[in-house]
Amino acid sequence: MDFWFIIKERYIPLSFFLIIIFISLFFFLVTWKNKLNISKKLIVIITTICFVITFTSILALIFTVAFGYNS
């Protein structure tokens, strides 16, 4: 099956996971820019949560493309 056809067929879950990744990266960048005003412990917690969310969303993207709903 053509890869472009798979992407067009499953665009809703893929766009959902991409939005989650972009929001997570946005929060990470905002936190990183304001790291002088935030405690170090909070920066570590926020960074860890952002990377876990991003990694999980990437795995979900791969799963959706590889094993998503078949029609």
Side-chain angles (χ1 to χ4, degrees):
M1 190 182 286
D2 189 30
F3 184 70
W4 184 248
F5 179 74
I6 293 173
I7 297 298
K8 287 192 317 187
E9 184 181 60
R10 302 173 184 162
Y11 72 94
I12 293 174
L14 294 177
S15 62
F16 175 72
F17 292 125
L18 284 174
I19 289 170
I20 291 174
I21 291 171
F22 287 139
I23 289 171
S24 177
L25 291 176
F26 174 75
F27 283 136
F28 172 71
L29 290 175
V30 167
T31 304
W32 194 257
K33 287 270 202 184
N34 295 326
K35 66 183 175 182
L36 296 177
N37 301 331
I38 304 172
S39 68
K40 188 174 182 178
K41 186 176 180 180
L42 187 59
I43 290 176
V44 170
I45 291 170
I46 292 172
T47 303
T48 305
I49 290 172
C50 285
F51 280 124
V52 166
I53 291 171
T54 303
F55 181 71
T56 307
S57 294
I58 289 172
L59 288 178
L61 276 170
I62 293 170
F63 181 80
T64 302
V65 169
F67 306 110
Y69 55 90
N70 296 325
S71 48

